[in-house]
């Protein structure tokens, strides 16, 4: 398993993150098998959110099914998110504090290793966030803080008051949903859709500031439009290259799709949303594959991006 540092914390973590958004439909045995497979394969980061399953349901199901021992708890990084409510976002001090307390109770733990603000709140008041973070840190309830889907300027706005480093930013990224990367490749080209900036230089900002990017939906064609893996109707060329490189490297197409992300020198983590243990094993195997530049760009262009 490829490992890396989380932000500039000095905390060594796995390049694969097990996302637990979909476990509410599984029975306890299946949840335990999924998590145990990930841990056995070297995954050290478990990703939650208060809204997964609705009202902390997936957090509760995880704790009830897996029952980590104290020593196991110390070896894993439990990450959760808050801020999404029913039809609106809420980064108020009161909501952040209450959401974290509810997550700790659901997860049956006394601290979160990482707390992310879940998507940007248009009505954010950085002072409110700072007050919540300070109280959570002082109480030992949260050790590290970050965001999800935040632009560079949204992060900089928070940092005018927030003292704690923003160690991670969880963003959507796959070889077919790659504007985070592809815009920079085709910058300054008038009239080209790929040249349109949608995130304000999120990738470069993360590298400059030592923020770890965490790629969610790493196998999705778009915004929950279905996986590109095996989809020959829309992604025939890409699947040809995925299969060719999978055979060459002794992994599966899932592994190669993972390797496309982990090859980037920004040390991007891959957040799996799967409920299948075998998909976890395939992704972990892929994280150890180092694609050549030529292979990486072949996948990039086969997925539809332009190399001018």
């Amino acid at each position: 398993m490829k490992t890396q540092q989380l932000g500039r914390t000095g905390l060594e973590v796995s390049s694969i993150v097990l996302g637990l958004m979909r476990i509410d439909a599984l029975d306890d045995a299946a949840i335990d098998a999924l998590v145990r497979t990930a841990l056995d394969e070297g995954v050290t980061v478990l990703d939650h959110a208060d809204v997964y399953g609705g009202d902390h349901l997936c957090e509760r199901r995880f704790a009830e099914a897996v029952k980590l021992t104290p020593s196991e708890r110390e070896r894993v990084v439990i990450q959760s998110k808050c801020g999404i409510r029913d039809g609106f976002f809420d980064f108020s001090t009161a909501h952040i504090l209450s959401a974290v307390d509810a997550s700790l109770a659901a997860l049956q733990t006394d601290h979160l290793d990482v707390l992310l603000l879940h998507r940007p709140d248009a009505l954010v008041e950085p002072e409110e966030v700072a007050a919540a973070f300070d109280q959570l840190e002082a109480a030992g309830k949260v050790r590290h803080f970050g965001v999800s889907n935040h632009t560079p300027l949204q992060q900089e706005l928070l940092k005018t008051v927030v003292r704690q480093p923003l160690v991670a930013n969880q963003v959507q990224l796959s070889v077919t949903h790659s504007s985070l990367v592809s815009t920079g490749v085709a910058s300054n080209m008038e009239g080209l859709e790929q040249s349109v900036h949608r995130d304000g230089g999120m990738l470069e900002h993360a590298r400059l500031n030592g923020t770890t990017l965490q790629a969610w939906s790493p196998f999705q064609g778009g915004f929950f439009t279905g996986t590109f893996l095996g989809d020959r109707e829309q992604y025939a060329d890409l699947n040809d290259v995925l299969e060719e490189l999978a055979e060459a490297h002794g992994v599966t197409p899932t592994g190669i799709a993972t390797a496309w992300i982990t090859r980037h020198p920004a040390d991007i983590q891959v957040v799996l949303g799967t409920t299948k243990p075998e998909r976890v094993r395939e992704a972990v195997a892929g994280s150890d594959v180092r694609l050549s530049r030529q292979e990486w760009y072949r996948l990039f262009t086969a997925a539809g991006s332009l190399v001018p």
Side-chain angles (χ1 to χ4, degrees):
M1 162 68 74
K2 180 183 176 183
T3 62
Q4 60 190 76
Q5 187 177 168
L6 179 66
R8 290 174 176 160
T9 63
L11 183 63
E12 195 73 9
V13 294
S14 56
S15 62
I16 302 297
V17 175
L18 181 63
L20 295 156
M21 182 176 71
R22 298 184 174 91
I23 62 170
D24 55 310
L26 304 180
D27 62 27
D28 283 359
I31 294 172
D32 187 60
L34 175 68
V35 174
R36 297 291 174 187
T37 295
L39 298 181
D40 289 346
E41 292 291 327
V43 173
T44 61
V45 185
L46 305 175
D47 177 72
H48 296 272
D50 55 1
V51 295
Y52 290 169
D55 193 23
H56 302 273
L57 176 60
C58 286
E59 292 176 324
R60 287 196 300 274
R61 293 295 318 285
F62 162 80
E64 291 165 357
V66 180
K67 300 188 184 306
L68 295 174
T69 67
S71 63
E72 288 173 332
R73 174 64 186 92
E74 284 304 306
R75 291 197 298 269
V76 299
V77 171
I78 292 184
Q79 169 177 289
S80 196
K81 300 180 283 293
C82 71
I84 296 179
R85 302 190 70 176
D86 188 11
F88 64 103
F89 300 120
D90 187 351
F91 288 175
S92 66
T93 303
H95 178 66
I96 294 172
L97 294 176
S98 64
V100 169
D101 282 343
S103 285
L104 294 177
L107 290 163
Q108 300 179 29
T109 188
D110 63 354
H111 71 278
L112 296 176
D113 297 284
V114 184
L115 173 69
L116 304 183
L117 297 177
H118 207 173
R119 291 192 172 275
D121 176 7
L123 302 181
V124 63
E125 298 174 74
E127 294 80 6
E128 292 266 314
V129 174
F133 284 10
D134 284 346
Q135 291 181 54
L136 292 168
E137 183 179 53
K141 294 179 179 180
V142 178
R143 294 182 176 176
H144 303 287
F145 299 85
V147 294
S148 76
N149 303 99
H150 275 57
T151 68
L153 286 180
Q154 287 168 336
Q155 294 171 71
E156 291 303 314
L157 177 62
L158 290 173
K159 287 159 64 176
T160 60
V161 185
V162 171
R163 298 182 304 102
Q164 296 82 2
L166 301 177
V167 303
N169 187 12
Q170 195 170 116
V171 297
Q172 186 172 7
L173 175 66
S174 72
V175 68
T176 58
H177 189 282
S178 63
S179 62
L180 195 75
V181 176
S182 64
T183 298
V185 172
S187 63
N188 196 38
M189 296 185 67
E190 186 174 342
L192 181 67
E193 176 70 14
Q194 186 177 320
S195 299
V196 177
H197 278 266
R198 304 184 187 281
D199 58 36
M202 194 181 288
L203 175 62
E204 292 76 17
H205 181 267
R207 297 183 75 178
L208 286 168
N209 287 272
T211 303
T212 295
L213 293 175
Q214 299 179 334
W216 58 270
S217 285
F219 313 128
Q220 288 281 321
F223 183 67
F224 295 110
T225 57
T227 181
F228 56 77
L229 295 167
D231 182 354
R232 293 197 159 275
E233 184 174 338
Q234 297 185 78
Y235 303 105
D237 291 346
L238 175 59
N239 277 280
D240 284 343
V241 180
L242 285 168
E243 291 178 5
E244 177 189 330
L245 295 181
E247 183 175 358
H249 288 279
V251 295
T252 65
T254 296
I256 296 298
T258 302
W260 186 84
I261 297 173
T262 58
R263 170 63 174 85
H264 199 282
D267 282 337
I268 303 169
Q269 289 181 297
V270 175
V271 183
L272 303 179
T274 186
T275 58
K276 300 176 180 179
E278 61 269 24
R279 182 62 61 88
V280 174
R281 295 188 189 95
E282 292 172 3
V284 168
S287 76
D288 282 329
V289 171
R290 182 172 173 83
L291 298 171
S292 69
R293 272 186 162 82
Q294 184 180 19
E295 290 171 332
W296 189 93
Y297 277 105
R298 279 190 68 199
L299 290 162
F300 184 62
T301 54
S305 292
L306 174 70
V307 175

